[in-house]
Amino acid sequence: MSGARQKKQAKKMRNQPVSITLPGEPGPFPGGGSRASLSPGDVRSEQQYQQQKFSNQSSGPSYRKDQYFPKGQNRGERGRGRGGWQGGCQSVSEEMPKYITVSTFAQARAAEINAMLKAVTQKSSNSLVFQTLPRHMRRRAMSHNIKRLPRRLQEIARKEAEKAVHQKKEQSKTKCRKARRRHINLVAEFNRRQRKNIWLETHIWHAKRFHMVKKWGYCLGDSPTEKSYRACYRAMTKHCLLQDLSYYCCLELTGREKELLKQLARICSIDAGLTFEEACCLSGRFEGSLNLYRADRYPEDMLGPVTFIWKPKDGSENRQLWIWMHPALKQDMLRELKAIFQCSEPEEIYVPEPITTSIQEEKQMDVVPSLGKKRKKEDKEGEKAVPVKKIIGDGTRDPFQSYSWISQTTGIVISDRTMEILRYRLIGPLSHSVLTETLKAASLQTEMADSASELNNWWVENCKDSEKVSLHQRQSAIFELLEGISSPSELPPSTILGLTVGDPRVNLPKKKTKAMPDFEKYQDNDKVRQLYLEGVPVDCAHSFIWDQDICKNVTENKISEQDLNHMRAQLLVPGSHLDLGPCESKIPILLVQQPGKMAGEDRPGWGSGWDIYLPKGWGMAFWIPFIYRGVRVGGLQEALKHSEYQRTPHIPNDFPDCQAGMQFAKELETSLLEKFKRRPPAKRANYVKLGTLSPFVCPWGQLTKNWEGRMKASGEFVHPSSPHLECCATEGHGFCDPKAEVVKEASPETGEVEETMEITSLEGVRKTEDVTGTQDVSERGETMTSDFIVLRSEKLLMQLSAWCYPTAGKDRRIRLISRLGQKEMTEDVFLPILMSYPRALVWVNLSLLRKGNPELHAMICIPTEDDLLHLSKDKLFCGPQEPKHRDIFKHKVQKLKEEKKKKKKDNTKASESDPPSVPDKKTTEEHEDLILGLWSDALPDVTSHCSRTLLGYVTRGDFSLAAGCGEALGFVSLTGLLCMLYKQPADKKGLVLLRTPASLQYRFARLTIEV
C-alpha cells in the first residue's frame, strides 16, 4: 500500500479501539485472563487467533503496529498483500482450537461490541448531519429545512438545530448606522455608558475635540486635539479661556451658625490663613479658601484644600454653607465631616424616575412587525412604556442610596450636591466682555404665560415682592458696570454677585465672533470707583440658586432645543432676534470673581477671571453661547499650566501630605516605571550611573528623615542646654557639606578611565557601593507614608520669604526686612523653628539663571563655596557637573540573566522522568526586583549620595512662556533650607542647583517663597 493510502487508512482507524481489556480482570488476552488460566492448546489457539485478527488490518499508524504482534514475532513474518492474508487464514483454519471457555470468550466479544457501538455513535468530526451524506443525496435546502433529510437523520438534525440556537450569540437589533443614530437610540446608549463613569453635560462636545481621560470617576477632557499650547496661554493672558469645572464636588451644610462654626473650627487653623469664621466670608460677600485637616490634628493629617461660600443671612437661624473640593478629596472630607457633626442616614430616601437603558430599549424593539403596517416601538406594557429620558447630573447615583445625612443631636444636615450645581470658569482680562455679551439680566414678569405650566412660576411670585424687585435691579446695574472694568483683577478678590438671567440661547449671534471691550464705557465714574473700593454689597450677593426647589423647577421646565429651533423657523425675518416674552426661561446663577496671581511681585492679577454657578440641565445652553463669543476651551492640562504660571500648588499633584497626593504619586510612579521597562536597556538612562536614586517618585519621608539625622549628628545649631544635644562631634565640617571623593578607575566595558563617586557622609557611614540588600524592600514604600508635614503657617512662610529674597543691590535685604517687619536671620530666631518642625517641607518656586529646562522629579541641591566663587568670577558659568557613579547592581543583573539562561538550558535537557528542579527561593527573592539602571535596594542617605547635598525635588517644571525662562515648582526640606541660608553669603542667598534625573549637569537657579 502506498504512503498516501496508509495515511488515509490511519486517519480512518484513529478512533477505533486498539486493544480491549476487561476492567475487572487485566491481562494480555481478549478475555482478560492470564496465560496460566488456559490449557496448552488454548494458548496456541489464542496466539493464532490474535495473529489472524490483526493480519486483516493491512495498515495503521506505526505506533499501533508494534502492539499488534506478540513478543518475539518479527514484522517480516507478517505476509504482505493478498498472499500474506491468505496464508494467515489457511494457518488459522488448519489449527482451529477444539475447545474454548465460553464465559471468557463471551466477555471479550461483549467488550468489543460495546467499543464498536461507542465508536459508531460518537461524533468524530464537526460536520453537520446533512454534510455527512453522499454528495448526490445532498440538497441546498437541507441546511434550513429538516424534512429534506432522510427520516433516519431528521431527529439528529433537529437536536443540532436546537443546540445551535442556544449557542448563537445575540446580535444587536440596531446594526445599521441609520438605526444607531436615531435620537432615541443615541440617548439610550449614552445613558448606558454613563453608568460607570460620570459624564459632564459638555461631554459630547469635548469628546469630539479633546483627548478624553477617565479620572476620579469622571470622563474628562485632558487636552485639545489641535495644537493650542501657546494659543491657550495667549487666551489666558490677553483674551479669555473657558473651562468646565463641573466635576468639582459640592457638600452643602445646613444648620445653626454657632453649631456649624464650633465644629468646623476643629478641622482648620487660623495659623494657616483664613477660617470659616472670617467676617467678610461669613456675611456671604466673598468666597473663602483654606486647607482642611483632621479634627484637632493641625498641622498633621491634612485632608486637602477647599473653597467655601456662605449663603447671605435672610433673617432665620439656620445658615447654608457650600464647601467645594476636588473629587479626589471628597470621600476623606465627607467622612471627616460626618464624624465631627455625628451625622447618620436620614429615613426618607428620594427615588427618582426610572431611566430606560439600551437593554430595555432592545426589549421594547424586539417585536415582529405585522405586514402592511408601519413599524412602531412597543413593549409589553404598551402605552405605559417608560420613555427614554436623558440623564441629567450624576448617572452613577444609586436611586435607593441616600445622599444627605442628618445629626440627631444638633440637627445639622450634610447634603451631597455634586453635579446638581454646574461650574464654569472664565480666565482672562476679557472675561467681563464675554459675560456681559452672553448674559442678559432677566426681565420682570408679573403674569404667568400658561396657567397649566409651571414655567417661571417662582419668578412671577418673587416679582410681586417690591424688595426682591429692587434687589434684582441693583444686581443688574452692578452687572452692567462690569463692562466698564478692564480686568477682573481690579475688583476685590473673591467677590460674589448673584443674578437672575434670561435664556442665553436667545442672544446667540449669527456667526462666531470675538467679544471685545467697549472703550466708551471705560469711564472713571463714581459707581465704578465705589465698586473698586467697596466691592459688591452684601444684599447683592443673594441668589435663588441656593433654593433647591427653584433649581428643580428651572431644570424641569427648560425649553428644548427642538422647540426653540421650531420657533426660530417661524420668524418672519430669518435670523432676527427671537423674543419669547413670558415664555423665556429665567435662570438663577452665581458669579464668583477669581483673583488670579496674588503672591509675589511679578505679574499681579495674572490669570484672574470669573466662576459661573448654574443649575443642572443648563450646561450646553450656556456653553455654546460662550463658544460663540470667541473663547478658547481648555482641559486638565490647561488647568495645570494655569496654576503653574500662578505658582500655586495644584490638586492633587502638589499635596504630598494628603491621601490623594500619595495616591497620585503612586500611580505616577507605576506609569513611569512601566514606560521605563518598555524600552530596551540600551535606549534608556542608567539612573544608577547618573546618581539618581529615585527617578519616578519623590521620597519626601526619607528626605526629611535624613536632614533631621544630619542636624542631630552635627550638633552645630543645638544649644548646650538644649535636651536635643547629641554627642556626635564633627571636626571641620558642617552638616550641610558632604565630603565627596572622586575616584578614577577603569571601566569594565571600555577599559577607559572613568571618574566615579564615592560619598562619605558625616554619619559615618557607608559608601554607595557597600549598600547591601539586608533591609527589607518594604522600607522603600514607607517613604510615602513617613511622618512629615508641609509648612503652611503664613507667619513662618513670610519670615522664610524675607530671608531668601533675591538681592540685587546694596542693603536691599535690610530695607525689605524692615518693610515686612521681619527679623534678621540669627540662631535665636530660626532654632525654635527647627525644634518645632524637624520634618517639614516648604513649597518653593525656582527660576533658572541661564539656559535649561527643569523636568519632573529634578533634584534641588545646595551649591558649594567653590561653585558660588566660580559663578561670581564667570557670569556665564551654567553650573558644575556630577561625576559618573558606578553601577553596583550591574553584576547582579548579569548573574541573574546567566542563571535564567542556565535554568532554561537545564530544563530543556532534563528527561521527562526526572522531577523538575526547584529554584533557590532565597536567590529568587533577592533578584526579583532587579532592573538594570534602577536602584533596587533600600534607599541610602539621599542627601549625601551625590557630590552636591540634596535639598528637595521638583514636582512641576517647564519653560515658562510668562517668565521667558525655565521655571520649576517643588518642595525642599525646611531644615536644609535654613542650613543653606545660614551658610550662604549675603549677596548669594537663595541660589541653588537644579539637576534633571537623566543628566549630570547642574544649573543655577534662584529660589523664592511667595506668600
Side-chain angles (χ1 to χ4, degrees):
M1 185 180 293
S2 63
R5 288 192 178 184
Q6 285 182 357
K7 289 181 182 178
K8 188 176 179 180
Q9 185 69 15
K11 188 176 180 182
K12 269 186 184 178
M13 303 299 297
R14 65 184 176 188
N15 292 322
Q16 301 303 321
V18 178
S19 59
I20 306 301
T21 305
L22 290 178
E25 302 178 11
F29 294 98
S34 62
R35 189 181 300 268
S37 61
L38 299 176
S39 61
D42 292 339
V43 171
R44 188 177 180 186
S45 62
E46 288 292 339
Q47 291 179 356
Q48 294 173 352
Y49 173 79
Q50 292 290 341
Q51 180 181 359
Q52 181 264 339
K53 172 185 172 184
F54 290 111
S55 64
N56 294 333
Q57 298 181 358
S58 60
S59 65
S62 59
Y63 62 88
R64 289 179 180 171
K65 291 179 181 178
D66 296 340
Q67 301 173 7
Y68 295 168
F69 302 97
K71 190 174 180 181
Q73 184 177 354
N74 206 357
R75 286 181 181 266
E77 298 176 5
R78 180 184 177 186
R80 296 193 178 185
R82 186 174 298 178
W85 182 85
Q86 288 178 352
C89 288
Q90 291 174 0
S91 62
V92 169
S93 59
E94 290 176 357
E95 301 179 2
M96 184 69 65
K98 296 182 179 179
Y99 306 101
I100 60 171
T101 307
V102 178
S103 59
T104 306
F105 186 80
Q107 287 180 0
R109 303 292 79 72
E112 289 180 356
I113 293 171
N114 289 334
M116 182 182 63
L117 292 176
K118 185 179 180 181
V120 170
T121 56
Q122 187 176 3
K123 190 176 180 182
S124 61
S125 64
N126 295 326
S127 58
L128 299 175
V129 174
F130 70 91
Q131 293 174 333
T132 60
L133 291 172
R135 293 188 180 275
H136 70 280
M137 292 182 62
R138 297 183 189 179
R139 298 294 181 269
R140 183 181 57 194
M142 288 181 177
S143 59
H144 59 84
N145 190 359
I146 298 175
K147 293 184 179 179
R148 289 280 186 177
L149 286 166
R151 288 185 180 178
R152 62 183 177 84
L153 300 177
Q154 287 183 8
E155 187 64 27
I156 302 175
R158 192 173 291 108
K159 292 180 180 179
E160 287 182 352
E162 293 176 358
K163 187 178 180 181
V165 169
H166 292 300
Q167 291 180 350
K168 189 178 181 181
K169 295 182 179 178
E170 295 183 3
Q171 295 182 354
S172 175
K173 299 295 188 300
T174 55
K175 291 182 184 179
C176 64
R177 188 176 187 275
K178 181 179 179 181
R180 290 197 311 268
R181 298 300 298 175
R182 285 198 192 105
H183 178 71
I184 188 171
N185 295 337
L186 277 179
V187 173
E189 176 66 13
F190 291 160
N191 290 347
R192 182 191 65 81
R193 289 162 60 184
Q194 293 182 61
R195 297 298 181 187
K196 189 173 182 181
N197 292 288
I198 303 173
W199 283 11
L200 307 184
E201 293 190 12
T202 58
H203 173 83
I204 301 297
W205 190 94
H206 277 92
K208 296 177 180 178
R209 300 164 178 86
F210 276 69
H211 298 288
M212 305 300 290
V213 293
K214 292 184 173 77
K215 280 189 175 182
W216 314 302
Y218 293 84
C219 280
L220 304 175
D222 188 50
S223 60
T225 53
E226 62 179 356
K227 293 182 179 180
S228 59
Y229 180 80
R230 290 179 178 268
C232 288
Y233 169 74
R234 286 196 299 268
M236 288 187 281
T237 307
K238 298 179 180 179
H239 191 248
C240 186
L241 182 81
L242 176 63
Q243 290 178 331
D244 189 354
L245 301 184
S246 302
Y247 61 91
Y248 268 65
C249 303
C250 177
L251 296 180
E252 184 182 81
L253 276 65
T254 308
R256 288 180 294 178
E257 182 180 319
K258 291 183 179 180
E259 294 291 339
L260 287 172
L261 293 177
K262 179 182 177 182
Q263 299 299 332
L264 290 174
R266 299 175 56 194
I267 59 176
C268 58
S269 174
I270 196 172
D271 182 45
L274 296 178
T275 62
F276 290 99
E277 300 180 11
E278 191 70 27
C280 60
C281 300
L282 191 59
S283 62
R285 289 182 61 196
F286 299 99
E287 179 190 48
S289 60
L290 48 80
N291 295 313
L292 296 187
Y293 296 81
R294 296 200 183 275
D296 307 321
R297 292 287 297 167
Y298 174 83
E300 301 175 357
D301 294 340
M302 187 192 180
L303 294 174
V306 298
T307 58
F308 63 94
I309 303 174
W310 285 95
K311 180 183 178 182
K313 296 181 179 179
D314 53 1
S316 62
E317 293 183 0
N318 288 348
R319 296 291 302 275
Q320 279 181 262
L321 172 67
W322 281 353
I323 301 179
W324 288 85
M325 67 206 67
H326 193 272
L329 313 172
K330 176 184 173 183
Q331 294 302 325
D332 291 336
M333 291 190 178
L334 180 60
R335 195 179 302 113
E336 190 67 21
L337 288 174
K338 288 165 66 176
I340 63 174
F341 288 112
Q342 301 176 358
C343 292
S344 58
E345 302 283 346
E347 296 180 359
E348 297 181 0
I349 297 177
Y350 169 70
V351 180
E353 296 179 359
I355 299 174
T356 309
T357 61
S358 59
I359 298 175
Q360 296 172 349
E361 200 59 35
E362 289 177 2
K363 292 180 180 179
Q364 294 178 13
M365 295 172 60
D366 195 9
V367 179
V368 181
S370 56
L371 297 176
K373 293 184 180 181
K374 262 191 174 183
R375 289 186 300 172
K376 190 175 181 180
K377 295 184 181 70
E378 293 181 357
D379 63 353
K380 296 180 181 179
E381 298 180 1
E383 296 180 356
K384 297 181 181 180
V386 180
V388 178
K389 190 175 181 181
K390 181 182 178 182
I391 291 180
I392 300 176
D394 187 354
T396 63
R397 285 198 172 189
D398 185 1
F400 301 101
Q401 183 179 353
S402 174
Y403 287 87
S404 61
W405 302 266
I406 188 171
S407 174
Q408 302 296 337
T409 56
T410 59
I412 292 175
V413 180
I414 302 176
S415 303
D416 184 6
R417 298 202 65 186
T418 303
M419 294 296 294
E420 299 294 312
I421 304 294
L422 308 182
R423 184 177 175 183
Y424 293 160
R425 175 166 291 177
L426 294 171
I427 303 171
L430 298 188
S431 302
H432 288 150
S433 302
V434 174
L435 274 178
T436 52
E437 284 192 22
T438 306
L439 306 180
K440 302 297 179 184
S443 59
L444 299 177
Q445 181 180 350
T446 56
E447 294 182 357
M448 294 287 294
D450 186 3
S451 58
S453 173
E454 295 183 359
L455 178 66
N456 297 334
N457 59 352
W458 63 275
W459 181 244
V460 172
E461 294 176 1
N462 287 302
C463 287
K464 295 177 182 178
D465 190 346
S466 58
E467 294 183 0
K468 295 182 178 179
V469 170
S470 176
L471 174 62
H472 175 67
Q473 292 174 349
R474 292 198 302 274
Q475 290 175 338
S476 303
I478 293 176
F479 180 70
E480 292 176 359
L481 287 177
L482 296 179
E483 198 171 356
I485 300 177
S486 59
S487 174
S489 61
E490 298 180 3
L491 290 174
S494 304
T495 299
I496 297 176
L497 174 63
L499 192 64
T500 303
V501 298
D503 196 334
R505 297 173 292 178
V506 176
N507 305 321
L508 205 64
K510 294 181 181 179
K511 62 180 181 178
K512 195 173 181 180
T513 58
K514 195 170 185 178
M516 298 301 293
D518 188 0
F519 294 100
E520 296 180 357
K521 295 184 179 181
Y522 278 69
Q523 300 174 0
D524 192 14
N525 52 23
D526 296 337
K527 292 183 179 179
V528 175
R529 190 181 301 109
Q530 184 180 4
L531 189 62
Y532 282 156
L533 299 176
E534 300 179 4
V536 178
V538 180
D539 54 351
C540 292
H542 178 270
S543 175
F544 293 106
I545 198 173
W546 289 94
D547 193 335
Q548 295 189 23
D549 296 332
I550 292 178
C551 290
K552 184 179 178 182
N553 185 304
V554 171
T555 301
E556 292 178 351
N557 295 289
K558 173 190 171 186
I559 301 176
S560 65
E561 291 284 345
Q562 184 179 6
D563 297 340
L564 207 62
N565 292 332
H566 184 67
M567 295 177 189
R568 287 197 183 104
Q570 293 179 347
L571 290 173
L572 294 177
V573 180
S576 60
H577 178 71
L578 177 62
D579 187 10
L580 298 179
C583 295
E584 183 180 1
S585 300
K586 309 298 187 295
I587 307 102
I589 65 171
L590 200 65
L591 300 175
V592 180
Q593 189 259 5
Q594 296 298 318
K597 190 177 186 299
M598 299 179 65
E601 295 183 351
D602 58 328
R603 297 179 284 115
W606 185 92
S608 59
W610 287 90
D611 279 6
I612 303 103
Y613 296 84
L614 316 167
K616 71 174 182 179
W618 285 87
M620 289 303 296
F622 279 76
W623 187 264
I624 296 300
F626 283 142
I627 300 297
Y628 267 70
R629 262 68 185 192
V631 301
R632 182 168 286 274
V633 182
L636 296 179
Q637 293 300 321
E638 284 67 36
L640 189 68
K641 287 297 175 184
H642 178 241
S643 65
E644 184 177 326
Y645 289 151
Q646 283 185 322
R647 297 172 185 166
T648 56
H650 189 73
I651 312 170
N653 308 32
D654 303 321
F655 289 86
D657 55 338
C658 70
Q659 292 295 327
M662 295 178 188
Q663 181 66 26
F664 173 82
K666 195 178 296 183
E667 294 174 357
L668 180 63
E669 181 189 16
T670 303
S671 63
L672 293 177
L673 183 60
E674 290 177 355
K675 185 178 179 181
F676 179 81
K677 288 179 179 179
R678 285 197 295 268
R679 290 177 174 269
K683 303 297 181 184
R684 66 191 186 198
N686 189 327
Y687 291 109
V688 179
K689 289 186 176 181
L690 295 171
T692 306
L693 289 175
S694 182
F696 306 136
V697 67
C698 301
W700 302 116
Q702 183 86 359
L703 177 70
T704 54
K705 181 180 179 182
N706 293 151
W707 268 110
E708 184 187 19
R710 292 170 71 92
M711 183 190 68
K712 291 181 179 180
S714 67
E716 186 174 349
F717 295 135
V718 181
H719 291 298
S721 59
S722 173
H724 300 279
L725 181 62
E726 299 288 342
C727 300
C728 297
T730 56
E731 299 178 1
H733 294 282
F735 71 90
C736 185
D737 302 321
K739 184 180 178 182
E741 297 179 359
V742 180
V743 181
K744 292 186 177 181
E745 61 179 18
S747 172
E749 298 177 358
T750 61
E752 299 177 358
V753 177
E754 296 182 353
E755 291 185 351
T756 59
M757 283 300 303
E758 291 185 0
I759 305 300
T760 308
S761 67
L762 293 175
E763 300 174 21
V765 193
R766 58 193 178 196
K767 296 181 180 179
T768 308
E769 55 267 29
D770 294 332
V771 176
T772 59
T774 54
Q775 299 181 11
D776 191 1
V777 182
S778 62
E779 293 181 7
R780 185 175 181 180
E782 291 177 1
T783 58
M784 294 298 297
T785 56
S786 296
D787 187 15
F788 70 91
I789 64 169
V790 175
L791 185 66
R792 294 187 175 89
S793 173
E794 286 192 349
K795 184 179 178 181
L796 294 179
L797 289 176
M798 290 182 68
Q799 182 72 73
L800 291 172
S801 177
W803 286 341
C804 65
Y805 200 86
T807 56
K810 187 178 180 181
D811 297 332
R812 182 180 177 185
R813 173 169 299 280
I814 299 174
R815 292 199 303 270
L816 177 69
I817 292 177
S818 61
R819 180 162 57 89
L820 295 176
Q822 303 298 333
K823 303 176 183 178
E824 282 289 345
M825 189 175 187
T826 60
E827 290 189 20
D828 295 334
V829 176
F830 69 79
L831 188 61
I833 302 176
L834 286 178
M835 296 298 108
S836 302
Y837 302 97
R839 295 189 184 184
L841 299 174
V842 183
W843 172 257
V844 297
N845 55 278
L846 304 106
S847 179
L848 290 174
L849 299 184
R850 301 284 184 271
K851 63 179 182 179
N853 192 17
E855 297 177 1
L856 179 67
H857 300 152
M859 290 163 281
I860 308 170
C861 302
I862 300 175
T864 61
E865 294 180 1
D866 295 338
D867 298 335
L868 297 177
L869 184 62
H870 195 174
L871 179 65
S872 60
K873 291 181 180 179
D874 184 8
K875 297 297 181 182
L876 299 178
F877 178 56
C878 292
Q881 196 164 5
E882 173 75 14
K884 188 177 288 188
H885 292 236
R886 189 168 66 88
D887 191 353
I888 62 175
F889 300 101
K890 188 172 182 179
H891 69 282
K892 295 183 180 180
V893 177
Q894 292 176 349
K895 185 179 178 182
L896 179 63
K897 285 184 178 179
E898 291 175 359
E899 288 179 358
K900 287 183 178 179
K901 288 182 180 179
K902 186 178 179 182
K903 179 183 173 184
K904 187 177 181 181
K905 191 175 181 180
D906 293 343
N907 290 340
T908 54
K909 289 183 177 180
S911 60
E912 297 179 358
S913 59
D914 295 338
S917 58
V918 181
D920 189 3
K921 187 177 181 182
K922 183 178 179 180
T923 307
T924 306
E925 293 178 354
E926 183 181 356
H927 298 298
E928 61 182 359
D929 293 333
L930 281 178
I931 302 173
L932 186 63
L934 294 181
W935 192 275
S936 302
D937 286 342
L939 294 182
D941 188 352
V942 295
T943 58
S944 60
H945 182 68
C946 298
S947 61
R948 304 301 185 273
T949 305
L950 183 67
L951 188 63
Y953 292 96
V954 169
T955 57
R956 282 184 290 155
D958 200 358
F959 182 84
S960 174
L961 297 176
C965 64
E967 284 195 343
L969 302 170
F971 292 94
V972 297
S973 170
L974 174 62
T975 308
L977 179 63
L978 291 175
C979 164
M980 183 193 73
L981 294 176
Y982 185 75
K983 294 284 186 181
Q984 284 182 337
D987 58 339
K988 301 293 183 182
K989 287 189 182 294
L991 282 181
V992 295
L993 293 172
L994 273 183
R995 183 165 73 93
T996 56
S999 173
L1000 294 172
Q1001 180 68 47
Y1002 289 97
R1003 299 194 181 276
F1004 281 101
R1006 177 74 64 182
L1007 181 145
T1008 55
I1009 299 174
E1010 295 183 348
V1011 186

